[in-house]
Amino acid sequence: MPSEPATPSRAMEHRLHPLSIGFSLGSQLRRAIFPLIVGGASANFLGVVEMRSVLLIGLIPFVVGSVVRYLTFRYRYEEAELVIRSGLLFRRERHVPYARIQNLDAVQGVFHRMLGVVEVKLQTGGGQEPEATLTVLPLPALEALRQRVREGKGEAAEEGTVGEDGTVAEDGTAAEESATAIPGEPPLDPALAGSEEGRTLLHLPARELLLHGLLQNRGMVLIAAAFGLAWELGLFERASDWIAGEQSWIGPAVEGAASDVVAAGILVTVVAITALVVAFVIFARVLSVAWTLVRLHDYRVVRSEEGLRATFGMLTQVAATIPLRRVQTVTIHEGPLQRWAGRVAVGVQTAGGSQAGQSGNADPHRHRLAPILRRDRLREFLREVIPELDVPEVGWEPVSPLAFRRVVRGTCFLATLASVPLYFTLGAWGVAFHAAFLAWAVFYARRYVECLGWALKDDMVWFRSGWLWRRTTIARYTRIQVVALRTTPIDRWRGMARLLVDTAGAGAAAHKVDIPYLPLDTALELRAHLAAEAARTAFRW
């Protein structure tokens, strides 16, 4: 009797690249280096043991963990799924059907390119984090992984349609692939970007990135980090000692002219502080521009069969995919400086992901699809993300006329609370500040309520809010999961309600479709309409 063929799963298993040990160790050290330094410094101060000994001992678990992870991590290609095994004591085996793989995001830093490897994040629609992170693979292995996923999706499509939720339907039509078609003209290594052509929707030249850096002011983050480092190193104390030493000669030279010296000293102090503030603002903007030029270098969004693919980065190069079928909501961001420059930013939320709000992250859920976009190109760009969109103008509906009273009472209360300490420190002058705060509270409440609005158009619900920093969110009926009506005791007293429209991609920090201060009758009608529309259409991931 012939023996059964050997199961190919074990024989066909693949390892990560041996350099995974080093990259995994480096990733862990970046997260643990500060606690190690603090612990080593404390032990050295107490005379328990030398700091370098603490650091060396603390490195041992990380080294062992990286080696064990490399030795125990395996992946193999089955007929219809990718199987990933990991763990030594607590073993884990994940089976990921090819039909459910949404995209493969490739990240290459400087050292990755020098060593010919790449980090791969395997995304599905089942959570906010990647289903698996392969750190790291050789470039030929990345191409083999893409090819195998492509073939697996094709085999699933022959039996049925790969649905938008990752399931296989029965009508025999092929589904849109998510992460196997690669757009053209990428700035990355050809092995990362693939070969299939696509249509470029957005390309940010250096002048647009320069403007984006000036408007965003990311340099404040770097300055805060530098400030903390300088404080820890005692640089501020040394500078104050130096200034005190430089001014010590003034005493003997100014005898007999005390009043003139005091006046001159006040003037010099004011000029010096003003110069420092101006220099600080300029320096922060310069850092922001430098950060933007490096992080978002050659930013492109390409439309292809896979959906939208963003490629960017000078040192760390990123290729991130956003399948159009996973887009749940689209949000338009406008700050005061952006409006002055005639620019907007466009972000998306996707099923199983968090808000697309922080540009530059390798995860496509967490960076804005268009970090900066000319306002006159907004409609054209939105139609590429939402093909059924046809928006000559949006007729915004206001909230309840009683909303201003609700908001102004809260802002005036906060203004009064903020003015209380000023009465104790400034005396009668506290009244003037209190009056100014109240005036600002009334003005802010008025503008806030005026900018609240909602609309129903093109089978979508629109919601806008914000005065200085405006945000407009668009959600299609086919993406709605839950329509909820919420009322507080004050809402019920005033005949108001809050309407919340939930989608699969609504994150905690997202600009959700959450419309406050609606008249109760309007809220009930709107809830019934949206619930009926959502029930009438099939939900799509």
Side-chain angles (χ1 to χ4, degrees):
M1 181 177 179
S3 59
E4 295 183 359
T7 303
S9 59
R10 294 291 182 264
M12 300 287 291
E13 285 187 333
H14 303 275
R15 290 177 178 267
L16 299 174
H17 195 283
L19 290 173
S20 295
I21 299 174
F23 282 98
S24 178
L25 179 61
S27 177
Q28 295 181 69
L29 288 179
R30 282 197 299 270
R31 295 191 294 266
I33 189 64
F34 183 73
L36 284 175
I37 292 177
V38 171
S42 301
N44 189 32
F45 176 77
L46 296 175
V48 178
V49 67
E50 292 186 1
M51 181 174 177
R52 59 184 179 183
S53 301
V54 174
L55 294 177
L56 290 176
I57 295 173
L59 287 177
I60 294 176
F62 296 105
V63 175
V64 172
S66 299
V67 173
V68 169
R69 180 182 181 276
Y70 167 72
L71 294 176
T72 59
F73 195 99
R74 300 284 192 280
Y75 68 96
R76 65 179 185 270
Y77 304 117
E78 297 286 0
E79 181 178 354
E81 62 186 7
L82 177 67
V83 181
I84 301 173
R85 293 195 304 121
S86 61
L88 178 62
L89 299 178
F90 301 93
R91 297 181 180 177
R92 182 182 183 187
E93 184 169 292
R94 285 165 289 176
H95 294 252
V96 186
Y98 298 126
R100 291 189 179 274
I101 296 178
Q102 300 286 353
N103 52 285
L104 300 174
D105 294 334
V107 181
Q108 261 198 329
V110 176
F111 292 108
H112 291 90
R113 295 197 299 276
M114 291 174 56
L115 300 172
V117 294
V118 61
E119 179 177 306
V120 180
K121 296 180 183 293
L122 190 152
Q123 299 278 356
T124 65
Q128 296 186 2
E129 299 297 327
E131 183 66 27
T133 300
L134 307 181
T135 308
V136 288
L137 291 178
L139 293 177
L142 170 61
E143 186 58 35
L145 177 59
R146 281 175 167 159
Q147 181 64 28
R148 191 65 190 91
V149 171
R150 183 182 295 114
E151 292 174 356
K153 284 178 174 288
E155 293 170 1
E158 291 178 0
E159 300 177 0
T161 300
V162 181
E164 296 193 1
D165 59 352
T167 59
V168 179
E170 302 296 336
D171 59 1
T173 58
E176 175 190 22
E177 290 186 349
S178 62
T180 55
I182 311 300
E185 300 184 299
L188 307 184
D189 189 302
L192 261 68
S195 58
E196 292 193 29
E197 292 296 326
R199 181 163 51 90
T200 300
L201 303 182
L202 176 66
H203 176 224
L204 298 181
R207 64 178 179 273
E208 286 296 307
L209 293 178
L210 176 66
L211 179 60
H212 179 58
L214 289 173
L215 298 178
Q216 290 296 310
N217 197 19
R218 292 277 183 174
M220 290 301 298
V221 177
L222 301 178
I223 289 178
F227 183 87
L229 180 61
W231 183 274
E232 290 295 329
L233 295 177
L235 297 182
F236 291 107
E237 183 178 355
R238 297 176 188 176
S240 62
D241 293 342
W242 177 80
I243 293 174
E246 289 293 319
Q247 293 180 349
S248 62
W249 60 272
I250 298 179
V254 297
E255 293 180 358
S259 59
D260 294 339
V261 170
V262 170
I266 294 175
L267 178 62
V268 169
T269 301
V270 171
V271 172
I273 292 176
T274 303
L276 286 175
V277 170
V278 173
F280 178 82
V281 172
I282 295 175
F283 182 60
R285 297 293 175 176
V286 170
L287 283 181
S288 178
V289 168
W291 183 91
T292 302
L293 290 176
V294 172
R295 191 71 178 117
L296 301 182
H297 171 71
D298 202 16
Y299 189 98
R300 292 175 186 266
V301 176
V302 178
R303 171 73 181 271
S304 68
E305 292 182 1
E306 65 179 339
L308 302 176
R309 191 170 184 85
T311 55
F312 56 92
M314 179 183 295
L315 300 179
T316 299
Q317 297 180 336
V318 178
T321 306
I322 304 177
L324 285 178
R325 64 175 175 272
R326 290 180 63 191
V327 174
Q328 302 296 302
T329 60
V330 177
T331 301
I332 304 163
H333 304 259
E334 295 179 87
L337 294 179
Q338 280 81 358
R339 290 196 297 276
W340 172 77
R343 301 296 192 275
V344 298
V346 179
V348 297
Q349 280 195 318
T350 58
S354 57
Q355 184 183 22
Q358 300 181 8
S359 66
N361 196 299
D363 187 344
H365 309 307
R366 294 177 182 162
H367 75 271
R368 289 180 180 173
L369 184 61
I372 184 170
L373 182 71
R374 296 182 64 92
R375 171 167 282 282
D376 55 11
R377 291 197 55 204
L378 177 60
R379 293 179 183 175
E380 174 189 353
F381 189 79
L382 288 178
R383 288 193 183 99
E384 296 290 347
V385 182
I386 309 177
E388 62 268 33
L389 183 66
D390 183 16
V391 190
E393 292 296 337
V394 179
W396 294 104
E397 298 288 342
V399 294
S400 172
L402 300 177
F404 172 72
R405 298 183 185 178
R406 293 278 305 275
V407 176
V408 76
R409 289 175 181 174
T411 56
C412 288
F413 174 76
L414 293 177
T416 301
L417 197 64
S419 302
V420 170
L422 299 179
Y423 281 99
F424 293 97
T425 56
L426 301 179
W429 283 101
V431 177
F433 281 95
H434 191 184
F437 288 170
L438 288 176
W440 172 255
V442 173
F443 177 74
Y444 174 84
R446 175 68 65 184
R447 294 293 298 143
Y448 172 77
V449 172
E450 288 176 353
C451 291
L452 282 175
W454 61 275
L456 301 179
K457 186 174 179 60
D458 298 330
D459 292 332
M460 305 173 200
V461 56
W462 300 60
F463 172 60
R464 70 177 186 183
S465 67
W467 165 42
L468 290 177
W469 284 269
R470 299 177 184 173
R471 291 184 290 180
T472 303
T473 294
I474 310 168
R476 285 175 279 191
Y477 294 160
T478 54
R479 279 11 183 205
I480 295 176
Q481 282 189 311
V482 177
V483 182
L485 198 66
R486 298 178 181 176
T487 58
T488 65
I490 298 179
D491 287 329
R492 292 191 292 272
W493 178 38
R494 294 294 186 180
M496 298 182 188
R498 173 186 293 267
L499 186 75
L500 175 64
V501 179
D502 190 17
T503 64
H511 182 250
K512 304 176 184 179
V513 180
D514 188 359
I515 313 173
Y517 310 124
L518 283 174
L520 183 58
D521 294 341
T522 302
L524 291 172
E525 293 176 3
L526 188 56
R527 181 187 65 174
H529 174 74
L530 293 177
E533 290 293 336
R536 184 174 60 85
T537 57
F539 174 75
R540 302 185 178 190
W541 283 90

